[in-house]
Amino acid sequence: MFKKATWLHLRIPFSYFLLPIFLFAISLSPNLNEPGLLWLFVILHLFVYPASNAFNSYFDKDEGSIGGLKNPPKVDKNVFFIAQAFDTIGLFLALYFFPRNWTLAIMLLVYVLVSRAYSHPSVRLKKYPILSWLIAGFFQGAWVVWLVYIGLNDFSFTSIFKPHVLIPGFLASAILWGSYPMTQVYQHEEDAKRGDITLSIKLGVLGTFHFTAICFAIAAASYVWYFASYHELKYGLHFLLALSPVLLFFGWWYLQVRKSTMAADFKNTMRLNFISATCLGGFFLYFFLNSSGILNVAGAY
């Protein structure tokens, strides 16, 4: 039986921060497969993502705050074992509920292997600032979007190369490439102690804020272009409106950090993550309900 401390390292609530990617992904699907949608959510958010968190915790052995845990308990071998168990359950569920979709199973396995390479000392992608930034943003963004698209529709891998699928995948990654360094901004001392020279360390505290602001501006403009080109311009404008609370908090936080870099702490990082996930998740849910026609059907009754 795993101890409470072991379960804490799964950081299941932390999966909430990746929920907008899933909601964006399901909005692309031409087929509304409700059981498939539910099981993909469970596989990713309750098993695969938490397993990745625990695996990362086991090899990082952080003493300071980490994403989703202000005071992480010490890790032991149980953390490693629970990561193995959750990954195995996630893959088993994919094979059981999507029995003919081997592409989905392989894509999930690739995601698991990459997440392990991120932390495992034999590879430790985390210690390479640019490479880890590119890989983390790509696999948590574009790869998940395409994985969900293939899972819901039982399409072949080549279907992701269609522009209306390929472009949203990279748009999902663009958001994560902007936010990824911000998740590291309070961990400079802890990461440097382990020899992990992250992108945020390279940029510096203020440089991380500047980098994120530039990336978000490019990503926001790209989303507006995408919605105007493939859907309706109104969705692009609503996207910018949904981002406004994120921008307001980011601007306020930036001013605090200008006064003292001590303000670049765990508490404010989690606040930004929560506001961003809530606003983007709310928008993508609204977009999904509209693009799928669910709201129109409900309004007809």
Side-chain angles (χ1 to χ4, degrees):
M1 192 71 179
F2 295 120
K3 298 179 292 186
K4 180 182 177 182
T6 304
W7 291 99
L8 285 174
H9 278 288
L10 289 167
R11 292 178 270 160
I12 292 176
F14 195 67
S15 297
Y16 177 73
F17 299 141
L18 290 173
L19 181 59
I21 303 298
F22 180 81
L23 293 172
F24 186 34
I26 63 176
S27 70
L28 307 176
S29 175
N31 300 306
L32 265 184
N33 176 2
E34 289 87 351
L37 189 154
L38 172 63
W39 282 112
L40 277 173
F41 172 84
V42 169
I43 289 166
L44 287 169
H45 291 82
L46 300 185
F47 289 99
V48 173
Y49 291 159
S52 178
N53 294 336
F55 193 84
N56 186 60
S57 287
Y58 178 75
F59 285 103
D60 282 1
K61 295 177 171 57
D62 288 289
E63 296 177 0
S65 300
I66 55 176
L69 279 180
K70 185 175 183 180
N71 299 300
K74 287 188 177 182
V75 297
D76 56 24
K77 286 188 177 180
N78 284 328
V79 175
F80 178 78
F81 292 142
I82 203 170
Q84 303 281 73
F86 269 54
D87 270 336
T88 302
I89 294 170
L91 290 169
F92 171 79
L93 290 174
L95 290 170
Y96 184 81
F97 288 103
F98 303 88
R100 296 184 302 276
N101 198 333
W102 285 97
T103 304
L104 170 64
I106 292 169
M107 291 183 76
L108 267 175
L109 180 60
V110 169
Y111 182 94
V112 168
L113 293 175
V114 170
S115 70
R116 292 185 174 213
Y118 181 82
S119 306
H120 198 279
S122 64
V123 183
R124 196 69 180 175
L125 295 173
K126 190 175 181 178
K127 67 183 179 182
Y128 304 105
I130 304 297
L131 185 61
S132 63
W133 170 68
L134 288 171
I135 287 177
F138 176 76
F139 278 94
Q140 290 185 337
W143 193 259
V144 168
V145 167
W146 300 332
L147 180 156
V148 171
Y149 181 79
I150 287 172
L152 283 178
N153 298 283
D154 198 17
F155 290 156
S156 67
F157 186 77
T158 56
S159 66
I160 71 170
F161 298 109
K162 297 175 181 177
H164 70 280
V165 182
L166 189 69
I167 291 170
F170 282 109
L171 287 176
S173 285
I175 288 287
L176 293 175
W177 281 324
S179 60
Y180 180 69
M182 290 304 303
T183 66
Q184 304 168 326
V185 75
Y186 67 92
Q187 293 181 307
H188 288 187
E189 184 178 344
E190 190 87 31
D191 287 333
K193 188 167 61 177
R194 282 194 308 266
D196 296 330
I197 307 305
T198 63
L199 181 58
S200 185
I201 290 176
K202 286 282 190 183
L203 293 168
V205 173
L206 287 176
T208 298
F209 277 80
H210 299 155
F211 180 85
T212 293
I214 292 169
C215 286
F216 259 85
I218 294 172
S222 299
Y223 269 97
V224 172
W225 169 83
Y226 164 73
F227 287 121
S229 301
Y230 288 88
H231 299 279
E232 296 180 59
L233 177 59
K234 69 174 184 178
Y235 292 121
L237 300 178
H238 294 167
F239 177 80
L240 294 178
L241 183 63
L243 271 184
S244 57
V246 184
L247 299 178
L248 287 171
F249 180 81
F250 183 86
W252 171 85
W253 187 18
Y254 175 70
L255 294 176
Q256 304 310 304
V257 172
R258 294 281 303 184
K259 297 174 185 176
S260 171
T261 55
M262 295 296 290
D265 56 10
F266 170 82
K267 183 178 180 180
N268 283 318
T269 302
M270 291 304 106
R271 281 177 174 173
L272 179 65
N273 284 347
F274 179 79
I275 294 170
S276 179
T278 302
C279 292
L280 288 173
F283 169 78
F284 287 131
L285 179 60
Y286 150 77
F287 176 62
F288 164 65
L289 294 174
N290 275 273
S291 61
S292 64
I294 292 176
L295 288 184
N296 293 333
V297 172
Y301 289 97

